[in-house]
Amino acid sequence: MAGGEGDTKPLHIAMFPWLAFGHMLPFLRLAKIMARKGHRISFISTPRNIDRLPQLPPSLTSLISFVKLPLPPVDGLPPAAEATSDLEGHDVIYLKRAYDLLRQPLSGFLSNSRPDWILFDHAPFWLPAVARDLGIPTVFFSIFIASALAFTSPPADEEQEYRRTAEEIMVKPKWVPFESDIAWRYFEAEKIFSMILGDDLHPNEFYRFRQTLKGCDLIAVRSCRELESRWLDLLQEMHRKPVFPVGELPAPIEEIEGDGWRGTGVIKEWLDGQKRGSVVYVAFGSEATWSQEELIEIANGLELCGLPFFWVFRTQQSSDDSKLPEGFEERTKGRGVVWKEWAPQVKILGHDSVGGFLTHSGWSSVVEGLQFGRPLVLLICYNDQGLNAKFLQQNGVCYLVPRDERDGQFTRYSVANSLKMVVTGKEGATFRIKAMEMKELFGDTKKHDNYVYALLEYLEANISRNV
């Protein structure tokens, strides 16, 4: 990469996230920060995914272009399925197969458009080779925090993945030199291990991470030094290339202060009628799914806790035609709301009546909760959520709903007691205080934007202009 010192010409940056909204949305938030500095972004995904993304503010429509690459058909993949949220977990392998077939159309776009850099996700392990042939430098952007990335991905000199059983991902990896209890619990490991395995034709997740980290020119991580300094340093030692934290990507000020209720003013009216710090906000992201038994325990836990609650209940979060307990909504009417449509999460979390957040520990939800100082009660579903939760627990930032370590079962009583303790109990004061301390960090949008600006300065100084 040739230096471009003194060259202030705006960059053209391509972005290629994995086909999950928990990945696409952080990429889009990063794109907006970069575009506000005058850089041009080509955001690449499939047609249906792009159509489902939030609308851009008018000031950025000329700087962020959406590039639609049709997803190739694959046996086993429903025609309308273009994101992980469209599928059951065991069917995501078909989405990965289709995603890998985007290599050729993506190569064509990059060859024609010649961006200065491409930021990409962990899944397209083949992208660095494509970009290298075209002379385009690459940034692996990890939506996973530094500790989770270091846990998941072996160092550069580790030729083979030594962890071949679920039990081996329940302990600290051999390359982590300091004390840490960040690892998956037994029930999480059993669930995640079967999901990350590939097949005879397609690589598993460990392989994708390893090849991506080997092939990229530099690593950008959704993290900050105030939270994960030693993990960021470890990543740089492990992979022997620049590692840039890009901050936590909190919601921007205009999203917090603007009129973001978008036709859901009835939610605000209900929240306005509740006491300050009394409401439990319940949301498990766009992809978490619960069995009928688990769903009943969550609902009954909310009923038993006696606190006002607002539950964003997505139909895909219940499998096998799961239903809420009979009469649940009638019995909790007035005290609780089960909301079955889109809800403005940032606006709800920012409301003074919210006193706690029951969530799955997806990092975007964690950031939005702590941005407003809301204490976290975590009920893990799958993927990196268990690693996020252990990191937060290790730092005293959250409370995990107690559950059986072997099968992951939890009860209505563990849900109810956890919520009462964290939101109103004396024992929960430490979590409430810690959440307010975290608000100082996660709510400082200027601090986090400055991390992105530092990355941009490096990208501007290390490009080879394509003609």
Side-chain angles (χ1 to χ4, degrees):
M1 294 177 286
E5 191 168 319
D7 184 2
T8 58
K9 181 180 176 182
L11 298 170
H12 175 200
I13 300 170
M15 291 190 174
F16 187 55
W18 164 235
L19 305 179
F21 283 94
H23 292 240
M24 288 182 277
L25 293 174
F27 267 77
L28 185 59
R29 188 161 285 179
L30 182 61
K32 291 177 181 177
I33 299 171
M34 291 179 164
R36 288 191 184 98
K37 296 294 284 184
H39 300 292
R40 185 162 58 94
I41 309 296
S42 292
F43 192 98
I44 308 163
S45 191
T46 63
R48 187 162 181 254
N49 286 333
I50 287 174
D51 290 344
R52 289 184 285 182
L53 290 172
Q55 287 190 342
L56 295 174
S59 60
L60 298 182
T61 54
S62 63
L63 291 167
I64 300 177
S65 300
F66 291 109
V67 180
K68 297 182 177 181
L69 298 183
L71 196 64
V74 166
D75 288 343
L77 183 68
E82 296 187 11
T84 53
S85 57
D86 300 324
L87 299 162
E88 297 288 339
H90 55 78
D91 289 329
V92 172
I93 185 66
Y94 304 117
L95 188 65
K96 291 177 184 175
R97 292 175 184 173
Y99 186 73
D100 288 341
L101 294 176
L102 289 175
R103 177 172 182 160
Q104 185 173 349
L106 178 64
S107 300
F109 170 77
L110 295 176
S111 179
N112 291 328
S113 62
R114 297 286 173 150
D116 298 306
W117 288 87
I118 180 165
L119 273 70
F120 70 109
D121 216 323
H122 77 285
F125 64 97
W126 37 265
L127 193 150
V130 170
R132 192 177 304 114
D133 288 344
L134 296 170
I136 301 170
T138 57
V139 181
F140 164 46
F141 172 38
S142 171
I143 63 100
F144 305 99
I145 61 176
S147 52
L149 181 60
F151 179 92
T152 306
S153 309
D157 55 4
E158 190 81 20
E159 291 299 324
Q160 297 293 329
E161 175 56 61
Y162 75 89
R163 297 171 295 185
R164 300 184 182 279
T165 66
E167 288 77 10
E168 289 171 322
I169 61 172
M170 293 171 55
V171 295
K172 184 183 76 169
K174 62 186 181 182
W175 53 78
V176 177
F178 43 79
E179 287 300 316
S180 171
D181 61 0
I182 296 171
W184 279 297
R185 291 174 287 180
Y186 182 86
F187 69 90
E188 295 166 343
E190 281 290 306
K191 188 173 184 178
I192 193 71
F193 203 73
S194 62
M195 293 176 64
I196 61 179
L197 292 177
D199 56 23
D200 293 337
L201 298 176
H202 294 84
N204 62 41
E205 292 297 278
F206 285 153
Y207 180 85
R208 289 178 187 268
F209 273 108
R210 188 166 63 250
Q211 295 304 114
T212 290
L213 285 158
K214 280 185 177 181
C216 68
D217 291 305
L218 65 97
I219 302 165
V221 187
R222 187 180 188 178
S223 186
C224 62
R225 289 210 157 268
E226 291 81 357
L227 199 66
E228 291 194 291
S229 180
R230 64 179 178 173
W231 289 102
L232 289 162
D233 291 340
L234 176 60
L235 283 173
Q236 190 148 313
E237 293 171 14
M238 288 169 59
H239 301 292
R240 299 194 290 273
K241 57 186 64 177
V243 173
F244 281 84
V246 296
E248 303 296 347
L249 305 179
I253 296 297
E254 60 268 25
E255 190 174 330
I256 297 168
E257 297 179 348
D259 182 18
W261 292 98
R262 281 198 274 168
T264 57
V266 63
I267 299 176
K268 184 178 184 301
E269 290 177 13
W270 185 84
L271 291 170
D272 287 345
Q274 309 305 313
K275 293 181 180 179
R276 183 184 180 92
S278 67
V279 175
V280 176
Y281 175 59
V282 185
F284 300 108
S286 60
E287 298 178 27
T289 57
W290 304 105
S291 67
Q292 177 67 71
E293 182 182 38
E294 290 170 331
L295 195 63
I296 287 174
E297 295 306 308
I298 293 171
N300 285 330
L302 289 170
E303 185 173 355
L304 282 170
C305 78
L307 297 169
F309 66 86
F310 189 95
W311 186 359
V312 180
F313 184 85
R314 292 188 170 93
T315 54
Q316 69 263 38
Q317 289 179 344
S318 55
S319 58
D320 303 321
D321 298 319
S322 301
K323 297 179 182 178
L324 292 168
E326 187 174 353
F328 169 74
E329 291 181 76
E330 290 75 15
R331 290 192 302 273
T332 59
K333 189 175 182 179
R335 176 170 69 84
V337 174
V338 178
W339 189 262
K340 299 179 181 179
E341 301 174 26
W342 175 86
Q345 178 158 294
V346 170
K347 302 296 288 187
I348 294 172
L349 285 168
H351 197 282
D352 287 342
S353 69
V354 175
F357 186 12
L358 175 60
T359 186
H360 61 318
S361 196
W363 198 249
S364 289
S365 291
V366 167
V367 170
E368 290 172 354
L370 293 178
Q371 185 173 2
F372 298 103
R374 308 308 178 204
L376 305 175
V377 179
L378 303 182
L379 193 57
I380 309 310
C381 188
Y382 70 136
N383 280 357
D384 61 313
Q385 296 158 18
L387 301 179
N388 294 342
K390 290 300 284 289
F391 174 79
L392 292 167
Q393 184 184 51
Q394 184 173 282
N395 288 276
V397 182
C398 71
Y399 184 77
L400 273 65
V401 173
R403 54 202 301 182
D404 188 284
E405 290 287 326
R406 298 295 294 180
D407 60 19
Q409 287 188 355
F410 56 89
T411 70
R412 62 196 68 183
Y413 304 106
S414 62
V415 173
N417 292 338
S418 299
L419 292 172
K420 286 190 291 186
M421 185 269 287
V422 171
V423 177
T424 62
K426 290 183 179 179
E427 306 94 331
T430 56
F431 299 105
R432 298 192 292 272
I433 292 169
K434 189 67 174 180
M436 292 307 295
E437 291 176 358
M438 288 292 102
K439 180 180 179 180
E440 296 299 313
L441 171 60
F442 284 81
D444 189 344
T445 56
K446 183 177 180 181
K447 179 190 293 290
H448 295 286
D449 286 354
N450 284 337
Y451 276 110
V452 179
Y453 301 156
L455 171 63
L456 285 171
E457 287 179 8
Y458 183 91
L459 300 185
E460 290 168 346
N462 292 272
I463 61 171
S464 176
R465 292 289 183 187
N466 296 292
V467 180

